[in-house]
Amino acid sequence: NAGVMQNPRHLVRRRGQEARLRCSPMKGHSHVYWYRQLPEEGLKFMVYLQKENIIDESGMPKERFSAEFPKEGPSILRIQQVVRGDSAAYFCASSPRQGLGEKLFFGSGTQLSVL
Amino acid sequence: DAKTTQPTSMDCAEGRAANLPCNHSTISGNEYVYWYRQIHSQGPQYIIHGLKNNETNEMASLIITEDRKSSTLILPHATLRDTAVYYCIVRPATSGTYKYIFGTGTRLKVLA
């Protein structure tokens, strides 16, 4: 059973371009979480999605950021018109169910660098 | 905000037990304590979790005090590969989304 797959592993964008980060959850997992980690800082929650639904986006910046988890295919975190401050590691995690006793499985992350 | 407090850093000699404390004085009765670690810039790795009872698996042991206000993660025989940032997490039950809120963690350095 493959783990959480994120791609690309590294992504370089120039200011003003768009960044699309993909996350394929573990097989059988329908819950996806996105986190951002700035250099030398902890992980910050961004958004929680179930298939075709955004459940909690309280950690998402109000502008330029969006996320989706379609019925088919990976979850996508999209950043429009990137700025240097978006440079960070973005981690995706998945779980099979929602519940207090459930654990999250994390991917290896996408390192976004904005030039 | 994270519901836990941890020391910023700790050192441990290789081969010795590493005991990482965590305070979670506002924990609710149905909230679990989770431990994850992050080695360098990799994705967080699950270690162990528990509710009331002490737990043990192939990686570590988790000791939770009777009042549940604090816990200790024990790595019985630390190796150099255990050098990492260790996060103690209590998932808030009130949010309805069960998201993990990471604090700053404890940076454990295992010394040769």
Side-chain angles (χ1 to χ4, degrees):
Chain A
N1 188 11
V4 178
M5 304 299 292
Q6 290 189 249
N7 64 81
R9 188 76 174 88
H10 300 277
L11 182 62
V12 179
R13 285 288 178 265
R14 296 190 180 277
R15 281 179 294 171
Q17 291 184 318
E18 178 180 287
R20 292 171 67 88
L21 288 64
R22 288 178 291 279
C23 169
S24 296
M26 290 181 69
K27 186 176 181 180
H29 288 197
S30 59
H31 300 258
V32 166
Y33 298 75
W34 284 94
Y35 286 80
R36 177 167 65 174
Q37 186 172 33
L38 296 171
E40 303 302 320
E41 295 188 12
L43 287 88
K44 300 297 184 187
F45 168 80
M46 299 182 75
V47 63
Y48 162 45
L49 311 100
Q50 294 180 29
K51 283 287 188 180
E52 300 185 275
N53 289 304
I54 296 174
I55 306 302
D56 182 351
E57 54 182 350
S58 58
M60 288 278 270
K62 293 292 186 286
E63 298 176 348
R64 302 188 297 109
F65 285 73
S66 63
E68 64 177 9
F69 189 17
K71 186 177 181 180
E72 301 291 337
S75 176
I76 304 289
L77 180 67
R78 182 182 177 204
I79 311 173
Q80 296 178 289
Q81 300 175 332
V82 296
V83 300
R84 289 230 174 100
D86 297 332
S87 295
Y90 292 83
F91 292 98
C92 166
S94 72
S95 68
R97 290 169 292 277
Q98 180 190 67
L100 290 174
E102 291 297 329
K103 56 192 179 190
L104 297 187
F105 297 84
F106 283 82
S108 299
T110 293
Q111 181 65 51
L112 173 65
S113 298
V114 180
L115 304 179
Chain B
D1 291 337
K3 298 182 66 172
T4 62
T5 56
Q6 301 176 249
T8 303
S9 63
M10 293 181 64
D11 290 341
C12 178
E14 188 178 20
R16 305 296 291 269
N19 296 279
L20 291 86
C22 179
N23 286 319
H24 31 79
S25 57
T26 61
I27 193 170
S28 300
N30 61 347
E31 292 176 333
Y32 284 74
V33 179
Y34 290 78
W35 283 83
Y36 279 75
R37 72 180 183 183
Q38 188 175 27
I39 298 174
H40 194 43
S41 57
Q42 299 175 22
Q45 177 189 21
Y46 168 80
I47 301 174
I48 199 168
H49 74 289
L51 182 62
K52 296 179 183 178
N53 300 321
N54 298 337
E55 301 287 344
T56 295
N57 62 21
E58 66 279 3
M59 289 183 69
S61 294
L62 174 60
I63 309 298
I64 302 175
T65 58
E66 194 168 337
D67 63 7
R68 302 187 71 238
K69 292 181 184 293
S70 65
S71 60
T72 300
L73 177 74
I74 301 173
L75 307 178
H77 305 287
T79 70
L80 298 178
R81 288 178 293 180
D82 292 322
T83 293
V85 178
Y86 287 77
Y87 296 98
C88 170
I89 300 163
V90 171
R91 299 176 81 184
T94 55
S95 70
T97 66
Y98 311 115
K99 61 194 177 192
Y100 284 39
I101 299 175
F102 285 78
T104 53
T106 295
R107 188 173 296 273
L108 175 69
K109 188 173 182 180
V110 180
L111 306 173

